[in-house]
Amino acid sequence: MLAEQIINGIVLGSMYALVALGYTLVFGVLDKLNFAHGETFMLGGFVAIAASALGAPLWVAFPCALLICGALGLLVELLSFRKFRSADAQVTAALSSLALGLVLIDLVQKTYGSEPVSLELPLEVRTATIAVGGIEIAQIKLAILGIALLLMGGLQVLVTHTRVGRNIRAVAESPLAAALLGIHVRLVMQQTFVIASALAGIAGVMLAMRTGYAASDIGFTFGIKALAIMAIGGMGDLRGAMLGGILVGIVEALAVQFGLGKLGEIVVWILMIIVLLVRPGGLFSTGTEQRA
Amino acid sequence: MHSRRDFLSAGAALALSGSVTDVMAQSKPPIRIGAIQPMTGFAADYGALYNAALTLAVNDINAGGGINGSKVELKVEDDQFNAQQSVLLFRKHVNDGVVCVLGPISGTSWENTAPIANAMRCPAINSNSLKPGISKRPYALRLHPPDDTMIPEGLAEFRKALPQVRRVVIAGDVQEASGAAGIEEYARAAARLGLEVVDRVSYQTRTTDYSPMAIKVRSANADALLVSSLGPTTLGFVKELETQRFDKPILVNALVWAGNAFINAVGTAGSRLYTLGFATSERNQGNPAHEQFDERYHAFAGETTRLSKPINICNTSLTYDSLMMVADILRQKKIDGNTEVSVAREAIKDGLAQMKDWRGVNAIRMRPSGDGHIQAHLLRAVSERKTWEYALPPAERINTPYLPS
């Protein structure tokens, strides 16, 4: 049972990591927090609901979430960050994105109601398992883990080995210097929002697949946890967000296993306080080389 | 044989009496009653469900000429299912001069509001929450039977319907007042009925992942699972249990019976799911008043709300009864819109204190604790029709009240 809990924690942690990566990308580039990010993640789940309602196969939800949530990222950048690029506009941008997130929640609630909406997946898809070393693991969990690892790996390659990634790192280092080098800073920012939001959208689809429903309030609970994971891993540090997400997933699963379920969601906050006391820069922070 | 003149005379008399009542109602100021419901936020569907029942009651009262010639004016405030907000809005209602407040609906909100109702000497009636011991006489009364009667009565029927159940796991939301209280009531009732509790599993409202809890429940190898948490929380939990192929019966307290979304969204995860309640939309269950209400409520709520269909009737009739009860007391005490608010409040308080039984849509017996009692029964989820139905036929249901002192 312990091994099952740990595997389960890794799967959940991989979804946390995808959302935390979005926060960390934007924070790395703009030094600002995008509080609409959790709601972008939430919208991914409702894209899956909409695709299912239209009778489309589930895989269709992934490219749809990628496109819709990516486009939403552009909108967030335009409405909540474009005008507030100066360093002293951190609070204004955060509040503006928070307001945009609330509008998104309201729109979803007006469309789907305020309570969770069921994602009808065939039961055999949700319950199919594979035995690995005597442990029954749900195939859907393995698929989610596989997709999450693929996306994390892909992002790492994008940031470290492509022109887009180099530009993102350059802007993260210094927007002014990047502009002087001829990098189109606004375009890089837009690209960052699109990538971060698309990742969140896909994570939202995966969570809906995993749980069997989408909920309009999940963006807040999941998003705020992803923020804590960003702090645990190191602000703006991509590897930190990935490893921090998985660590939190495992710790949460083990907390339930060892009878600390009453602590519930505060486990992540306790972990964050301890980590920041010991390593104020975050667990995996290695300076700026891995900053987005 | 009636002549045409008779018909005309009767019609004129009716029209005259109607217009006389209307004129009287218009000439007197309205009686203002407050309500606190979650109209926005994650629990907005609860607000829509219960607000439809309140509006139906207001329409019925006003269509009948109001209360002693005064129309009822209902003012609904939105607490977003937040206890702090409920307290603030209760104070606002009192300061705005309402004669009583209906709600708030959640256990946590009611627990925090009931003492303030007494401190501010303004009657408050709750018709939804389940946590025992939180109503405060004389001003704060609850019509809904709390879990200290619902769980023992319902669990006894669960035991009768599923005699093979011996070992149970209790799981629940320890963060929400009604959820946490339900866990303790399950433990007490299980001990009384000779059920062995092999494990307890806790989680919190808005938990993001229920799989660790589901793994723990599964590994306990019990015969059944007893759950106490609100609909949205329970939905995530039972869906995860289904994913993990947990195939034992699950009994959830009335927190999932109340509300509309759970039964509409549970799908195949509800195939072995039971809850506790005292009303369904089934016909011929021995309460014609409820059947009539059911028909009218569905027509009204179907037209005026955007709730998912079929709308779950659940305990909405109790919200309707709460307003009808207040109207009845005010009528008997000769209160109208001209009566001083403090006098009207005292009259409602006294009326509630004197009330032993109420016969409206529901037959409610008032307990000394300030809570109502209606016999609870075991209900089964019918996933394909998205509805609840009685698990046992009328003749086999247990009708012995369990009334703790």
Side-chain angles (χ1 to χ4, degrees):
Chain A
M1 189 163 67
L2 190 65
E4 199 180 344
Q5 290 284 26
I6 291 170
I7 292 167
N8 187 64
I10 294 170
V11 174
L12 177 66
S14 67
M15 284 187 282
Y16 285 153
L18 282 181
V19 184
L21 276 171
Y23 277 117
T24 230
L25 261 177
V26 171
F27 185 81
V29 172
L30 272 83
D31 245 8
K32 292 185 181 69
L33 286 170
N34 171 15
F35 282 106
H37 191 61
E39 277 60 55
T40 309
F41 161 73
M42 174 270 290
L43 193 69
F46 282 94
V47 170
I49 297 284
S52 166
L54 292 170
L58 191 64
W59 65 265
V60 172
F62 286 98
C64 288
L66 195 98
L67 289 172
I68 293 170
C69 295
L72 178 64
L74 275 181
L75 190 70
V76 173
E77 189 274 336
L78 174 71
L79 296 179
S80 298
F81 290 89
R82 179 87 52 94
K83 295 277 182 196
F84 313 116
R85 276 169 54 183
S86 65
D88 57 354
Q90 280 177 325
V91 175
T92 321
L95 285 176
S96 176
S97 61
L98 183 72
L100 193 55
L102 292 172
V103 170
L104 272 174
I105 293 175
D106 200 52
L107 288 176
V108 168
Q109 287 183 346
K110 286 206 165 27
T111 311
Y112 287 99
S114 62
E115 293 211 19
V117 182
S118 194
L119 175 66
E120 297 303 338
L121 275 182
L123 194 57
E124 55 275 16
V125 173
R126 286 176 51 213
T127 57
T129 56
I130 293 176
V132 181
I135 306 164
E136 292 274 317
I137 305 169
Q139 288 181 11
I140 199 163
K141 285 185 187 175
L142 286 180
I144 286 169
L145 183 61
I147 295 169
L149 292 177
L150 201 70
L151 288 172
M152 284 190 253
L155 182 68
Q156 187 73 5
V157 170
L158 181 101
V159 170
T160 53
H161 290 89
T162 67
R163 187 186 178 84
V164 171
R166 274 196 299 276
N167 289 348
I168 288 175
R169 280 185 290 142
V171 173
E173 199 66 39
S174 165
L176 183 63
L180 290 172
L181 288 169
I183 294 172
H184 192 323
V185 174
R186 199 178 79 191
L187 181 66
V188 170
M189 288 180 177
Q190 288 171 333
Q191 286 168 338
T192 307
F193 270 92
V194 169
I195 294 166
S197 302
L199 283 177
I202 289 175
V205 173
M206 292 200 295
L207 187 73
M209 278 171 58
R210 167 85 185 70
T211 56
Y213 64 91
S216 57
D217 64 330
I218 195 74
F220 175 76
T221 44
F222 217 91
I224 201 111
K225 204 178 282 187
L227 266 177
I229 289 164
M230 180 176 71
I232 289 168
M235 302 288 274
D237 188 289
L238 292 183
R239 280 182 310 190
M242 293 180 209
L243 296 171
I246 289 170
L247 176 73
V248 167
I250 294 171
V251 170
E252 279 191 346
L254 292 181
V256 174
Q257 180 58 32
F258 293 112
L260 299 173
K262 278 183 186 173
L263 292 178
E265 305 284 293
I266 65 166
V267 168
V268 62
W269 303 109
I270 295 171
L271 188 65
M272 187 184 89
I273 292 165
I274 294 169
V275 166
L276 293 184
L277 279 173
V278 179
R279 282 179 69 94
L283 265 187
F284 307 102
S285 177
T286 53
T288 55
E289 75 184 67
Q290 274 300 319
R291 246 178 99 100
Chain B
M1 192 174 174
H2 296 288
S3 68
R4 187 163 175 264
R5 182 176 293 176
D6 290 338
F7 276 115
L8 288 173
S9 309
L14 264 174
L16 191 62
S17 69
S19 59
V20 166
T21 320
D22 281 350
V23 168
M24 277 176 67
Q26 280 163 17
S27 63
K28 288 185 177 180
I31 293 177
R32 289 196 290 173
I33 293 174
I36 301 174
Q37 306 275 353
M39 302 308 291
T40 58
F42 83 103
D45 281 3
Y46 286 95
L49 193 74
Y50 296 121
N51 202 37
L54 283 178
T55 312
L56 192 60
V58 171
N59 292 351
D60 285 354
I61 293 166
N62 288 343
I67 299 168
N68 301 321
S70 285
K71 297 260 186 195
V72 169
E73 189 180 286
L74 185 72
K75 192 174 180 206
V76 183
E77 295 284 2
D78 174 16
D79 69 352
Q80 300 185 319
F81 215 68
N82 177 314
Q84 288 167 331
Q85 215 38 39
S86 308
V87 168
L88 289 174
L89 292 171
F90 186 86
R91 290 181 183 280
K92 181 175 185 295
H93 269 317
V94 176
N95 293 332
D96 287 349
V98 301
V99 297
C100 76
V101 178
L102 306 176
I105 70 166
S106 87
T108 311
S109 290
W110 181 241
E111 190 169 15
N112 284 285
T113 308
I116 294 164
N118 280 281
M120 299 186 83
R121 304 174 74 85
C122 177
I125 302 178
N126 173 287
S127 42
N128 317 81
S129 78
L130 293 175
K131 183 182 176 181
I134 55 174
S135 297
K136 298 270 180 258
R137 277 185 176 278
Y139 286 91
L141 268 72
R142 162 171 54 187
L143 301 189
H144 205 288
D147 264 343
D148 62 350
T149 61
M150 286 199 91
I151 284 182
E153 290 169 357
L155 193 59
E157 276 196 8
F158 184 72
R159 189 82 206 280
K160 186 177 181 184
L162 302 157
Q164 76 279 13
V165 171
R166 293 272 185 275
R167 291 156 45 85
V168 295
V169 171
I170 299 174
D173 179 351
V174 290
Q175 193 178 7
E176 204 277 326
S178 299
I183 295 171
E184 298 310 317
E185 292 302 332
Y186 272 134
R188 275 192 279 274
R192 203 176 307 113
L193 292 164
L195 294 168
E196 182 191 353
V197 179
V198 292
D199 202 356
R200 281 197 194 200
V201 178
S202 310
Y203 47 85
Q204 293 193 321
T205 314
R206 299 181 184 188
T207 292
T208 41
D209 183 43
Y210 295 93
S211 45
M213 297 83 176
I215 291 171
K216 205 152 188 278
V217 167
R218 224 184 56 225
S219 62
N221 204 23
D223 304 321
L225 170 65
L226 311 178
V227 178
S228 174
S229 50
L230 286 164
T233 312
T234 308
L235 183 70
F237 189 39
V238 298
K239 287 243 178 197
E240 181 57 37
L241 286 162
E242 184 193 32
T243 303
Q244 295 194 21
R245 293 189 283 189
F246 180 79
D247 58 359
K248 305 289 169 48
I250 303 169
L251 172 63
V252 192
N253 58 354
L255 289 170
V256 298
W257 171 58
N260 192 53
F262 180 85
I263 192 65
N264 271 284
V266 71
T268 51
S271 60
R272 278 169 295 278
L273 195 78
Y274 297 84
T275 190
L276 312 171
F278 48 81
T280 70
S281 289
E282 294 170 272
R283 291 288 171 263
N284 304 315
Q285 296 297 312
N287 186 354
H290 191 273
E291 284 176 27
Q292 197 187 17
F293 172 80
D294 183 291
E295 203 169 301
R296 295 180 61 227
Y297 178 83
H298 274 109
F300 182 74
E303 273 176 26
T304 58
T305 72
R306 298 183 62 204
L307 290 162
S308 316
K309 312 285 186 313
I311 296 172
N312 181 26
I313 192 78
C314 60
N315 53 7
T316 49
S317 56
L318 217 46
T319 302
Y320 179 89
D321 271 341
S322 67
L323 188 45
M324 287 303 188
M325 185 185 276
V326 170
D328 194 52
I329 292 170
L330 291 172
R331 270 190 208 107
Q332 285 179 27
K333 304 271 182 186
K334 312 273 185 246
I335 304 290
D336 60 25
N338 287 318
T339 313
E340 202 177 311
V341 170
S342 60
V343 174
R345 287 174 182 168
E346 286 302 303
I348 295 170
K349 183 261 290 179
D350 292 341
L352 291 171
Q354 288 154 9
M355 193 168 290
K356 302 282 180 244
D357 293 285
W358 163 260
R359 286 205 166 269
V361 177
N362 298 282
I364 309 163
R365 180 192 297 183
M366 291 310 296
R367 293 166 54 192
S369 62
D371 300 314
H373 176 265
I374 304 169
Q375 182 80 29
H377 293 291
L378 185 67
L379 310 180
R380 177 175 46 219
V382 188
S383 306
E384 58 275 18
R385 285 194 281 118
K386 299 181 176 180
T387 188
W388 297 103
E389 65 179 26
Y390 286 97
L392 294 172
E396 289 180 35
R397 286 177 212 153
I398 299 172
N399 282 305
T400 314
Y402 177 83
L403 293 169
S405 53

